[in-house]
Amino acid sequence: MEIKKKFRPDPNLKLMDQVRQVLRYYHYAYRTEQTYCDWIVRYIKFFNNQKHPKDMGKREIEVFLSHLATKENVAASTQRQALNAIIFLYKRVLDIPIEESIEHTRSKRHQSPPVVMTKSEVQRVIQNMNGTHLTMAKLLYGSGLRLMECIRLRVQDLDFEKKIIYVRAGKGDKDRTTLFPKSIQSELKNQLDLVKRIHDQDLDIGYGAVYLPNALARKYKNAEKEFRWQYVFPSKKLSTDPRSGAVRRHHVLESGLQKAVKLAVNRAQITKRVSSHTFRHSFATHLLEDGVNIRVVQELMGHADVKTTEIYTHVMEKNISATVSPLDGLE
């Protein structure tokens, strides 16, 4: 078996350019690239740019991470993200081994129950939305999609015959299938008709390409211009890819849907801290309330561990009065 050699960045490049070169070699997502670069820059600036990371190590990492927990009060997940970025810098870019036992003050984990809307509240929010944002909100609730899973849907991910939606490379880079509500299928067929018209116009003027992950782009040479790979919710304008420089039509920005949800929640006079992700929480909770097996809900949500799904049992409505006592069952 051939062992792949470890990639070495160009030593003539500046440090952050080396970081980006390695991230792109290993096909990290653009968002991850931005996040990792931000943390690495913060790590260097924390020590007033006085030392190069190669001249720092375990002690400095511990000091920085402890500062995030004690002074900036960041969440445990945020601190873990910072650690991952710094470990990437040392292991992948600088090729400097870092001890696994980083002993830093850890941020406290706060396990708060998820915010969930009642069915009537979901209906009120949806009634205060319109257009494409309304369709997207229905998908978030009706299929239990995460915000970016909805934004990144491709034409071929909607299976009208089997009435399922394919979620590609979701959280943890996992694929899954989920429910495709009947009530939204006609809306999505109209949406795909719009996407087809936009795509045909782009092809007529010499464009029509869409972003594909590197492995797919190499495997399917002409796929980037095929209709099946186009985004279900395309941007209104063509844009230039910040990494490749290619002009393509990307998907819409998530901020548009987030703002539309916030506005609808205010109009519905709901005081809960409702966000786009609340639709997903409500999807899982309402399925459990309707008697759907928790293992089925786990699969639809894409949870690796059923314990993650169990958190919704703490916020679901329980009709205790309808429960028969085991004593009464003896009579």
Side-chain angles (χ1 to χ4, degrees), residues 11-135:
N12 296 317
L13 294 175
K14 293 182 179 179
L15 177 62
M16 294 312 300
D17 289 332
Q18 289 184 32
V19 172
R20 294 185 185 92
Q21 187 181 47
V22 178
L23 283 164
R24 293 174 189 182
Y25 175 82
Y26 288 109
H27 310 309
Y28 279 72
Y30 183 58
R31 285 172 174 272
T32 305
E33 176 182 319
Q34 291 177 306
T35 301
Y36 274 29
C37 288
D38 286 345
W39 278 119
I40 292 169
V41 169
R42 284 183 64 175
Y43 169 62
I44 296 171
K45 286 185 176 180
F46 180 76
F47 295 101
N48 299 317
N49 296 311
Q50 292 183 354
K51 289 194 279 187
H52 192 282
K54 67 183 180 182
D55 299 319
M56 298 190 286
K58 182 175 182 292
R59 189 186 69 81
E60 286 82 4
I61 296 173
E62 291 172 348
V63 170
F64 175 66
L65 294 175
S66 297
H67 169 81
L68 293 179
T70 59
K71 300 299 182 182
E72 298 192 22
N73 297 314
V74 302
S77 58
T78 303
Q79 189 186 47
R80 167 60 60 177
Q81 190 181 66
L83 174 61
N84 291 341
I86 295 169
I87 293 300
F88 177 89
L89 169 67
Y90 281 97
K91 286 190 174 181
R92 296 286 194 179
V93 181
L94 300 176
D95 194 25
I96 297 175
I98 293 293
E99 294 182 42
E100 294 297 329
S101 57
I102 301 293
E103 299 172 0
H104 58 281
T105 303
R106 299 183 182 276
S107 297
K108 293 182 179 179
R109 292 182 177 274
H110 299 285
Q111 189 70 11
S112 302
V115 176
V116 173
M117 290 184 282
T118 63
K119 290 182 179 180
S120 62
E121 286 174 333
V122 171
Q123 190 172 35
R124 281 159 51 196
V125 173
I126 286 177
Q127 287 172 344
N128 280 282
M129 300 182 73
N130 55 61
T132 305
H133 291 144
L134 170 60
T135 304

Side-chain angles (χ1 to χ4, degrees), residues 6 25 27 45 61 69-70 72 74 104 106 108 144 147 154 186 217 222 245 257 262 271 274 312 319 325:
K6 191 173 182 180
Y25 175 82
H27 310 309
K45 286 185 176 180
I61 296 173
T70 59
E72 298 192 22
V74 302
H104 58 281
R106 299 183 182 276
K108 293 182 179 179
L147 174 62
R154 312 263 184 166
S186 60
N222 301 313
L257 178 56
K262 184 177 180 179
T271 56
V274 174
Y312 297 110
N319 187 1
S325 167

